[in-house]
Amino acid sequence: MRHLICLVTLCCLSGCMVGPDYVRPDADAPAKWRYAAPEGKEAAAFAGSGWWESLGDPVLNDLVSSALRENKDLRLAAVLVEEFAARYGIARADLFPQAGAGAQYARQKNTERGGNALPAGYKSTLDSFSATVSASWELDLWGRIRRGTEAARAQYLASEEGRQAVVLSLVSSVVASYVNLRNLDRQLEIGRRTAESRRKTLEVFDQRYRGGVISEIELTQTKLLYEDSLAALPQFEKAVAQQENALNLLLGRNPGPVPRSRSIDQLGPPDVPAGLPSELLARRPDIRQAEQELVAANAQIGIARAAYFPAITLTGMFGGASAQLSDLFTGPARVWSYSVPVSVPVFTAGKISGSVKVAEAQREQALVNYRQVIQNAFKEVEDALVDRVTSGEQLAVRKRELDDLEKYLFLANIRYENGYSSYLEVLDAERNLFSGQLAYVQSQAALLQAAINLYKVMGGDWMADAAGRTGKGAERPRTARWSGMRIPAERIRK
């Protein structure tokens, strides 16, 4: 018996696995980025750990940490990972023998009357005791269970990469929302400062009108300009409040005020990276997730093909059965059995071949999706790079334009005070300066948003650090390496 068990174990360990083994497909990657700045940092350094801390805003750092602890989407993603970890454990358990134990006590009273009555001298009430241990083990000679374990493992890893994608999107969204909030704060500040300046101008012009220095039309023009600035304030205030609410949703909080620290002028954008495109294949979680989905689909082909071959299971039972509890474990009460059932498909009307074709089609779909995700990643990075470069150029133009508008207002006031032009020229200069100030702040925010988006599309190892900040309840497990992917070491057993 011992030799038989050893032989069966050796067959299972050395048994072949039907279906194709996974090989990472080639990716058509561009040789370099078209818009990468030569003086920029390498991509590995650019998307380093805790990149948002380079903005130097302690309040923003606290907001990111809070979001990683409290965001509801991230919690859902973490629970989904736990579900697929459990599914992997279930699939892996079929590789090992399954054992169980049972015990029973029964008492039966037979009739003492009628045709089925017991003869005289026999007891009409009987006791029975039994205790058994049973075991079964499906021999995975064709690799069906191992392919199923491979598929479950890949699905688990795909869910973990999905969680990393949520971390990536969450951190980027929090930083972008905070930058936009500081952008709106500055616009509101400009609006209030402009309204106050125009209020003072209106007071001066009202005194001049009363003194007969200016006409009523000039007073009315000044008043209209002041009212126009007041009308813009509620829009700015509404935008600030709504942005605070949006940011609080990312933080997992109810609507309310959000603390601030550094102004938008103090949040300087980082350098443009000059890394290699191929780094994206190992950095972006959506690419890693798509590859794991491809691994799972590839393993499903082996599961489907294994149905063509016999299924062999070892079953056995050992125990005792007796009418007396004291005799239950004696030799005469011993019961045992073993069997080796074998099932072979003979005629399935094309069911198995249809299942194989379904698995092959799903694998092809996963392959197309994997390549599409890679191409989309390169496209997003290229878009982000050009956005970052052109946003910087636009900001430089806006700064020169703002300087010219300030000079234009200064000269318009001199011309008006000296009687060389009407007040309409001053009104035009003030309106243009107000619009120019808003446009400049918006360009500042656009440059920061472009840099944030570039961090997002580049992915990177900083997400491991971010995941470690999610708090004790959602702490990222230790990781090992497998096929270039991160794997929680304490959960993955080969």
Side-chain angles (χ1 to χ4, degrees), residues 44 46-52 64 68 74 160-172 279-289 455-470 474-477 479 486:
F46 178 79
S49 174
W51 60 267
W52 58 92
V64 171
L68 291 171
L74 185 55
E160 171 63 18
E161 297 304 337
R163 186 179 77 92
Q164 290 300 312
V166 174
V167 172
L168 172 64
S169 178
L170 174 62
V171 173
S172 301
E279 292 180 1
L280 280 179
L281 299 180
R283 296 171 68 87
R284 283 186 48 135
D286 58 339
I287 295 179
R288 296 199 299 259
Q289 182 179 18
Y455 275 117
K456 178 181 177 181
V457 299
M458 289 296 292
D461 293 333
W462 63 267
M463 287 185 298
D465 180 75
R469 303 173 187 228
T470 57
E475 185 176 356
R476 179 177 172 85
T479 58
R486 289 187 179 81

Side-chain angles (χ1 to χ4, degrees), residues 364-378:
E364 195 64 25
Q365 294 172 34
L367 176 60
V368 173
N369 178 67
Y370 173 65
R371 287 174 172 162
Q372 186 177 29
V373 169
I374 291 176
Q375 287 185 338
N376 183 66
F378 291 137

Side-chain angles (χ1 to χ4, degrees), residues 397-407 433 436-438 440:
V397 174
R398 290 295 187 190
K399 182 63 174 69
R400 294 195 300 269
E401 180 187 37
L402 184 59
D403 294 339
D404 291 339
L405 289 171
E406 290 174 348
K407 184 177 181 180
L433 178 60
Q437 289 173 329
L438 296 179
Y440 176 72

Side-chain angles (χ1 to χ4, degrees), residues 206-284:
D206 183 63
Q207 293 175 1
R208 288 183 178 183
Y209 171 71
R210 294 177 186 276
V213 178
I214 64 173
S215 65
E216 186 176 2
I217 191 171
E218 290 177 311
L219 176 64
T220 304
Q221 289 171 340
T222 307
K223 186 176 182 181
L224 288 174
L225 193 63
Y226 172 58
E227 297 292 349
D228 183 64
S229 63
L230 289 180
L233 295 182
Q235 293 297 322
F236 293 140
E237 292 169 349
K238 180 180 73 172
V240 169
Q242 290 177 342
Q243 186 61 44
E244 285 182 320
N245 293 339
L247 182 52
N248 275 313
L249 182 63
L250 293 174
L251 300 176
R253 301 173 181 173
N254 292 325
V258 174
R260 280 86 149 166
S261 180
R262 306 189 74 179
S263 68
I264 193 169
D265 296 325
Q266 297 171 317
L267 301 175
D271 295 333
V272 178
L276 297 176
S278 59
E279 292 180 1
L280 280 179
L281 299 180
R283 296 171 68 87
R284 283 186 48 135

Side-chain angles (χ1 to χ4, degrees), residues 114-183:
N116 294 327
L118 293 174
Y122 284 88
K123 296 176 61 177
S124 60
T125 302
L126 300 176
D127 294 322
S128 64
F129 300 86
S130 66
T132 58
V133 177
S134 61
S136 64
W137 188 16
E138 180 179 348
L139 304 183
D140 192 29
L141 298 178
W142 322 114
R144 183 187 68 82
I145 299 176
R146 280 170 286 169
R147 288 298 189 194
T149 303
E150 181 183 351
R153 184 188 196 186
Q155 290 168 347
Y156 167 40
L157 293 176
S159 69
E160 171 63 18
E161 297 304 337
R163 186 179 77 92
Q164 290 300 312
V166 174
V167 172
L168 172 64
S169 178
L170 174 62
V171 173
S172 301
S173 297
V174 170
V175 179
S177 294
Y178 183 79
V179 167
N180 191 43
L181 180 60
R182 301 307 283 142
N183 164 40

Side-chain angles (χ1 to χ4, degrees), residues 341-397:
V342 179
S343 61
V344 183
V346 177
F347 176 73
T348 62
K351 182 178 181 180
I352 297 177
S353 62
S355 298
V356 172
K357 291 179 180 178
V358 168
E360 290 174 343
Q362 291 176 340
R363 193 261 182 192
E364 195 64 25
Q365 294 172 34
L367 176 60
V368 173
N369 178 67
Y370 173 65
R371 287 174 172 162
Q372 186 177 29
V373 169
I374 291 176
Q375 287 185 338
N376 183 66
F378 291 137
K379 179 258 184 188
E380 288 183 351
V381 171
E382 198 68 70
D383 288 348
L385 285 170
V386 66
D387 185 25
R388 170 64 176 81
V389 173
T390 56
S391 295
E393 294 172 350
Q394 185 183 45
L395 180 61
V397 174

